[in-house]
Amino acid sequence: MADLVNLTINGRAIQTPAGTLVIDAAKKAGIEIPAFCYYEGYSLQAACRMCLVEVEKMPKLQAACTLPAGEGMVVRTESEPVVKTRKSMLEFLLANHPLDCPVCDKGGECELQDMSFRYGVGESRFTEMKHHVDEKQWSPVVFYDGPRCILCYRCVRVCNEGMGVSALGVINRGEQSLITPNFEDHLECDECGMCIDICPVGALTSGTYRYRTRPWEMKHTGTICAFCSDGCKTTLGTRGHEIIRGNNRDRSGINGEFLCMKGRYAFDFIEHPERLTSPLMKVNGKLEPVSWAKALEAVARKFTEVKTRGGRFGIAASTKTTNEENYYLQKFARQGLGTNNIDHHRSGDVVALIDALNGRADALATMQDVYTMTASLVIASDLAQEHPLIAFQLRANNRHHQSNTYTVTKGPVREDKYAAASIRCEEGGELEAVAGLREQLSKEKELLVIFGGAIKGEAVGKLVAFGDSLGIPVKYICLVDYSNSRGAMDMGLLPDLGPGYEPVDQPGMTLPGMMAASDLDVLWVVGSNPLARYELASPGAFVVVQEMFLTETAARADIVLPASAAYEKAGTLTNVTGECQKLHAAGRTMGAKPDLEILGLIAREMGLNLGIWSSSNVFEEIRKSVRGYNIPLPIIATGQAAQTNPVKGGVPLRPRPDLIQPAGNTLFTSGSLGRYSKKLTSVIEYPGQLYRP
Amino acid sequence: MTFSPELEAKLEKLMNSYPPGRKKSALIPMLMFTQDEVGSITQELVEEVARRIGIPTVQVDEVVTYYSMLHRKPMGKHHIQVCTNISCLLWNGDELYEHAREKLGIGHKEVTADGMFSLEEVECMGACSWAPAIQVNYDFHHHVTKEKLDQIIDSLRKLR
Amino acid sequence: MLFNDPSPLEVKILTRRLGLPNSASIETNLANGGYKSFEKALEMTQDQIIQEVKDSNLRGRGGAGFPTGMKWGFVPRQSPKPKYIVVNADESEPGTCKDRVLIENDPHLLIEGCLIAAQAVGAKAGYIYVRGEYRYLIGILDKAIGEAYARGYLGKNILGRGVDFDLYTHTGAGAYECGEESALLESLEGKRGQPRIRPPFPAVAGLYQCPTVLNNVETYCAVPSIIEMGGKAWAALGIPKAGGTKLTCLTGHVNRTGVYELPLGFPVEKMINEVGGGIRGGKKMKAFIPGGSSCPVLTGEEAWPLTMDYDSMAKAGTMLGSGGVIIMDEDTDMVKAALRIMHFYAHESCGWCIPCREGTAWLKKLLTRLNEGVGTAKDVDLVGDLADNMLGKTFCPLGDAAALPTASIVRKFRHEFEAKLARAQAAVPGMANNPFAIV
């Protein structure tokens, strides 16, 4: 525990750890000291001078954002000179600031407006010409309006320090100063849009949102990103049923202020023109729209018929559907259809890790561990591309705690910039390369090992054995690729393991097995696109697909049932580090139904009793029956992340590294789903080199 | 991009003037020295300097636009800088500047059509006790009168 | 070369070799006592050197006037990091042109001062940051540094005494802000010359975040004579609390403008009338700035009885500053002067903090208008108000430097602003009956 100091702010006695900045000490005590440039977690600027406060025995007003709290300090934040100074700073700021608030995107949620409302003067004394420069578009998603910029440098810092991209700078000096993109007139960067979120005014605006609505006309729904497995919270702004904006200004999720391109902009897949809004049925070799009743009846009839005659089902499950849908689907397969032929696209060998840890629950790392552990070893993953939140947390850890990072990857990665050691190796050579770091790693206090899909099967066991041999506490993250890849494993969408990694009596067919089988009677695909990667060998298989789009697989279907997107339904997802979080519906697409409802309707049509198909009911069942999911309801209900931990004793299985196939997504691609986001595809088509390690 | 052997030697000495890992320190002198030879800070030069120092070009842009003696556009062969700051003003530096404008027919930071002269109204250049002062490129001229300015310009013109 | 004739009233300590033939060469320097103080310092302990500097009452000659010995004392004795000597030769305070005279005429004096400072704190390398406009001085310094290396005063194992010190020149590129010590360090590191958050101060975390001694050219140049004479004797050249001599730049409306070395505490009246030969054309002195345009302006009446030292000027509500004395006679247009001063600060504001960036730009626009006679009495109040709103609130001293002269001119010469407005409005037919004319 750090030493505590006692100080007085506005007459209130406050105790705070030595070294705390006065602005933070005040905030903790519920006293707001206004500031534009100060942003927790980033380098100090002391440029906006809004936080000047009076400190006894100091000759001048002091910037609370750079002043460490001292013993016996007497601070006043609302005294007459302080308030007068604040007013004058706002007057200076507004001198050149265009008063185009009525059309400015930020209007209504602008920090400059808020400050002016609270501290500003009613009258403007500035009667000179305002300094003007034209607005510029820097990328498909980033626009910069120079006159609105108050030069707080938050964007520059978040890009340099937070993202490690350094795409923004400042040119000119004095009144002429402007933020500048890295390539004269355009940006080549991650297109994360953090600069837009962090901008206190409307200087940086978003290509998807600008001039489309006013903030108060939207309903704001905090939900979980539909793309990678990091589980970032994104707040979707909806007007009517249309999602207009994604952002993360309230920093309330596990991702803090972070959000990448996908979480911020790629929600637009839900309104893609090819979105399915009606069930389709194959009539004379062609898919034609039919009613839900007709489609469900046909599916149920076929399923009952095949089940009755003991035919073969194959079920390809999803890496993006909710835990509830996954749980219900495997229950449907095992109890309703009597088959273990259920599998999904596995991108990381979580099963092998659970087995190798053999009951050591504390060896499974959380997202918080990425930010706090003193050393990290990254193996076989370009985190900044595939797991941008983990990459962000690692950078923050290095910046705030000087943690050490080691990288063992095929090509250069962004972590190299601050890594203690970086080793390049071909796939398969990772463990040898890691062994070469033994001396350095064993000197660390503790270690977080983050490994990609290339470490699979027996290699996972060997890696854990190596970690054990270091003689220091070691935790692990087995990287998986999609928003509920981890939940798919935990919920037992596996032919040999049920929920909670419990072995089943008679293992069923794997996904490649189903696809290669020649006698499959039914292939039931839920939110997945196996035909993008495999041929379907059974010519007579009746294919039922629950999908949002007419993918390669849906196009081959006999019946297609239009599914709701993650942003249109309730349920929970489990991220790569086991944090379980709740989805909240932000929009709606007429005609589509959530997969859970579709499953329930098919079950009802078949006369099966699999329980009520509401997500809260199924979630209760998961909490009661799935290992590691007995998580506190209030945490989930209040939109926070609840830690799950499915670690148990060994999993007695023959390793199947052949089934682990990392998707190799980039910042701008995400399997089949990414193709339906115009924002993602427009960025890919944008000239110039965007992502740089 | 290559420079004259003299400049290359100068740049090499410059790069060796800073401790290991501190090459960025050479940025501003490198821009000044290369600008003298190239004539202005061209985009090609920005990229070359960024490459030599090992920094992104945006960091070079940040610096180039900050310092008043670094120019993105070429100035004249003889860059005439007239100080009008307070000590020179008190000796009619402003009138001297006006005279230079008329004489050369160009304004602030403009270049004559033949590229021979450019003019800049500059801030204090450290010749306050010998005001009014001008600088032609890096050469100081003190106690400059209108007549003396004419002579300077005329003799430079003859130099060609 | 010298730019002006010396005055018999000067006390020539720093400038004693100026005027000698080839004064910049190491031969002239050595033949006239050069590097003797450094050799003496080699025999002294670090504490002894710093104590002499403390005893000398030498205060920073760049303008801030911080006691030099104290500054050196802040440098940690034991440091795992290397230590640096940095010379601030970014002389750009309007009205100031003394460092140029010292470097041009006696560069070895500066080198010797650096060597003694390095010896005092244990630094192994130093940089002389020369403003871009002084390019020719870099040639002079590089030549002198080359001579010093050749004679064994710089480099490895100096004079066979096991001491190492390397010295380099470094050019700026035109930015007044780089005269501020932390901005200078940023610039020296290849960045925009914007100031740093302080503390930590350069003595603890300066160049490359290493302990750094950073002083003005004249400050370093004073050190050899302090070591030679002893700190107390040097102090006695001046007055109590302000030791030694100061190079003073007489500029503006005096007959003999020039750079003169005068003891601290020198009377203003004697300086103007005897050293400077009186106000040009026998006029009256309307305004007086003691040390560069950043100082509050005094009226002639206020200035005449003062002496040139820190306390006397502080008592009169201004500062000794850099030694750039600016004298304005009775015909000076103070509105125009205020505008020109603000024009400078608006041009040089780095843009980092809001009050300086916006305040200087606004004031420049406002003063431009008032100088043309466009405005009302309220606008004159606004000038003073805006200057007050900047004062003490900016990130670095540049904001104060812009606000102080402006606020003082408006306060002391308000009638000139009003007269200008009245004249301009009287020239417009019908303006007298205009309800919007407030003058």
Side-chain angles (χ1 to χ4, degrees), chain B residues 1-146:
Chain B
M1 209 173 171
T2 51
F3 306 111
S4 68
E6 299 77 40
L7 181 55
E8 288 289 0
K10 198 169 180 175
L11 296 182
E12 198 190 326
K13 183 176 170 234
L14 178 70
M15 292 293 261
N16 291 326
S17 298
Y18 306 96
R22 306 293 186 183
K23 272 198 295 190
K24 197 179 171 187
S25 272
L27 177 58
I28 292 156
M30 188 181 281
L31 287 167
M32 285 286 273
F33 298 154
T34 52
Q35 173 178 264
D36 289 345
E37 185 166 297
V38 177
S40 66
I41 309 287
T42 59
Q43 187 56 31
E44 193 191 2
L45 182 55
V46 167
E47 282 160 23
E48 176 66 16
V49 168
R51 192 185 61 75
R52 288 188 185 216
I53 293 187
I55 53 174
T57 53
V58 67
Q59 293 187 12
V60 181
D61 288 336
E62 286 190 310
V63 161
V64 170
T65 55
Y66 183 86
Y67 293 93
S68 59
M69 293 177 74
L70 297 172
H71 305 289
R72 290 304 299 249
K73 278 186 275 176
M75 290 291 140
K77 189 176 167 197
H78 307 291
H79 185 45
I80 303 201
Q81 300 146 81
V82 182
C83 176
T84 62
N85 205 312
I86 187 75
S87 294
C88 285
L89 179 78
L90 297 172
W91 287 86
N92 304 324
D94 55 340
E95 288 173 23
L96 191 67
Y97 173 69
E98 284 307 319
H99 181 75
R101 276 174 61 137
E102 279 166 35
K103 170 99 182 163
L104 295 169
I106 51 174
H108 182 57
K109 288 196 180 172
E110 288 176 358
V111 188
T112 53
D114 61 0
M116 281 291 282
F117 294 99
S118 51
L119 181 62
E120 187 175 355
E121 180 182 7
V122 294
E123 296 301 345
C124 181
M125 54 172 69
C128 320
S129 286
W130 315 287
I134 68 163
Q135 254 190 311
V136 181
N137 299 337
Y138 293 111
D139 299 332
F140 279 93
H141 297 267
H142 296 147
H143 298 301
V144 181
T145 57
K146 289 176 191 171

Side-chain angles (χ1 to χ4, degrees), chain C residues 110-129:
Chain C
L110 176 61
I111 297 170
E112 189 180 0
C114 292
L115 277 164
I116 297 169
Q119 188 65 11
V121 299
K124 301 263 180 285
Y127 294 92
I128 306 175
Y129 184 102

Side-chain angles (χ1 to χ4, degrees), chain A residues 377-380 406-413 416 419-426 429-430 432-438 440:
Chain A
L377 168 64
V378 181
I379 308 169
Y406 302 85
T407 59
V408 175
T409 56
K410 193 171 174 192
V413 292
D416 293 344
S422 297
I423 300 181
R424 296 287 95 87
C425 70
E426 286 306 313
E430 292 91 353
E432 202 182 321
V434 167
L437 290 168
R438 173 180 292 279
Q440 271 174 286

